[in-house]
Amino acid sequence: MRRPLAVAFCALALGSCGTNGSPAVPLAEVPTVSSAKPDKLRVEQAKRDGHLTVPLMISVQPGRDKEVEQALERLGATVESRDRRIGYLRAEMPVDKVEDAYLITGVSKVDLDEPLGNKLPEP
C-alpha cells in the first residue's frame, strides 16, 4: 500500500520540473520588475529622525548589476560596495528617494540596513 503512494508522490514532484530537472517556467517568463516592497515605517522613522540618507542592501537580478548601479546613482545614491558574483549592492541613498529604488528594473530586494550596536553583551 505504501509503494503506490511513494510512486505517486515522486511522479508529482518530478512533474513540476522540466525534462532536465530545471524549473517548468522558462527564465524568459520570470518577471523582471522588482518584487521588493518598501518598508515605509522605517523610511518615515528615518525622516523623523532627521537622516538625509539611509544605507540600503540591494539584491540584484543576475546580469543587471551595472544598470541597477547606474540607476541608483541617477537617484543620488552612492554605491559603497558591490559583489557582482552574488548580485549584491550596498548604497547610501537619499531618504526621499528610497521608494524609487524599489521601482528600478532588475532589483530583486531592498532592505534598509540597520547599524549594528557596538554594545558588548553583559553576562
Side-chain angles (χ1 to χ4, degrees):
M1 189 68 170
R2 288 185 178 176
R3 183 174 218 150
L5 184 60
V7 171
F9 179 74
C10 289
L12 181 63
L14 291 174
S16 65
C17 295
T19 56
N20 61 0
S22 63
V25 177
L27 196 54
E29 292 180 22
V30 175
T32 57
V33 176
S34 173
S35 60
K37 294 187 171 87
D39 189 350
K40 292 182 182 189
L41 294 176
R42 291 178 61 198
V43 172
E44 291 302 318
Q45 183 64 45
K47 287 179 184 177
R48 281 192 301 275
D49 291 346
H51 295 284
L52 298 177
T53 63
V54 291
L56 299 179
M57 306 287 282
I58 302 162
S59 175
V60 180
Q61 294 172 354
R64 305 196 85 162
D65 48 348
K66 284 210 178 227
E67 70 182 273
V68 169
E69 186 171 343
Q70 291 170 350
L72 288 167
E73 289 171 349
R74 282 192 300 271
L75 290 172
T78 302
V79 176
E80 297 176 341
S81 62
R82 69 195 54 77
D83 189 335
R84 289 187 169 98
R85 295 171 298 151
I86 60 171
Y88 153 86
L89 293 170
R90 184 177 190 284
E92 194 71 26
M93 174 69 89
V95 73
D96 293 335
K97 300 287 186 174
V98 170
E99 291 187 27
D100 294 338
Y102 290 87
L103 304 176
I104 296 173
T105 300
V107 169
S108 300
K109 185 164 177 55
V110 178
D111 286 318
L112 267 70
D113 193 16
E114 294 185 47
L116 297 175
N118 290 332
K119 199 173 190 181
L120 294 174
E122 296 180 18

